[in-house]
Amino acid sequence: MTTPYVAELDAEERGWYQVAGLVRDLTPDECLLPGYYHDPDWAVRDMIGHLGTWLAEAAIQLDQMLVGTYGGHDVDVDRLNATFLAAMRDQPWDVVWTQACAGRTRLRQAWADLPEPTDEAAWWIRKSAIDHYAEHVERLRAWVEDLVGRRVEEG
């Protein structure tokens, strides 16, 4: 793998473990409580499902690059977000978490399968993972602090 693209994998790993570390502070029941986000009203489960489906989508795009069927990154983000949310919305927490972990693993494997990473492949890593984690992590941190604080007050 060429040196310019190693930074993407390192940044993806740091971002993922930042998100995962926050989620680990919650109980499975807390992951189902609405309030992480208010429009739409998401629980942590919904946000993790959102991240996981985008990671899986990026893996598909990298696979298409590998086999020569890639059509570019001009995608309808709103349509995909709605589709992904509908697919994961009512899934149990353990299914959503497992899917997100699998999506991430598949993304990293698809990246490794490329004979030579490209700027376009790096775009998908940044869009679906690095920048996406960063987009959600501060709100996640605040929500986790709120939920853990409630637990302490009740306990």
Side-chain angles (χ1 to χ4, degrees):
M1 186 172 306
T2 59
T3 305
Y5 296 109
V6 172
E8 274 79 5
L9 288 181
D10 290 345
E12 186 283 328
E13 183 172 41
R14 283 190 308 275
W16 174 259
Y17 284 111
Q18 191 174 27
V19 169
L22 290 166
V23 169
R24 274 194 285 275
D25 287 342
L26 299 175
T27 67
D29 287 341
E30 288 169 336
C31 290
L32 303 178
L33 294 174
Y36 160 78
Y37 192 69
H38 298 289
D39 188 23
D41 197 12
W42 280 7
V44 169
R45 172 195 55 199
D46 301 311
M47 186 273 297
I48 294 297
H50 171 74
L51 289 177
T53 51
W54 274 104
L55 294 168
E57 177 65 24
I60 291 168
Q61 299 299 324
L62 297 185
D63 285 342
Q64 290 176 350
M65 289 176 199
L66 181 65
V67 299
T69 60
Y70 178 66
H73 66 254
D74 186 21
V75 296
D76 185 343
V77 172
D78 291 334
R79 183 186 61 77
L80 285 175
N81 277 337
T83 300
F84 296 159
L85 180 61
M88 299 304 291
R89 185 72 188 212
D90 295 322
Q91 295 298 318
W93 167 248
D94 60 334
V95 170
V96 171
W97 181 249
T98 300
Q99 184 279 331
C101 292
R104 176 180 180 259
T105 298
R106 186 63 202 104
L107 171 63
R108 291 181 68 92
Q109 182 62 55
W111 176 273
D113 289 344
L114 293 172
E116 189 69 28
T118 63
D119 288 344
E120 196 67 8
W123 183 90
W124 277 99
I125 293 279
R126 287 189 304 273
K127 178 71 174 166
S128 67
I130 300 165
D131 296 346
H132 209 183
Y133 303 151
E135 179 184 331
H136 290 281
V137 75
E138 290 310 315
R139 176 64 195 128
L140 177 60
R141 184 181 326 287
W143 184 234
V144 168
E145 288 173 7
D146 185 29
L147 290 173
V148 169
R150 290 182 201 179
R151 188 186 328 139
V152 169
E153 288 174 8
E154 293 170 1

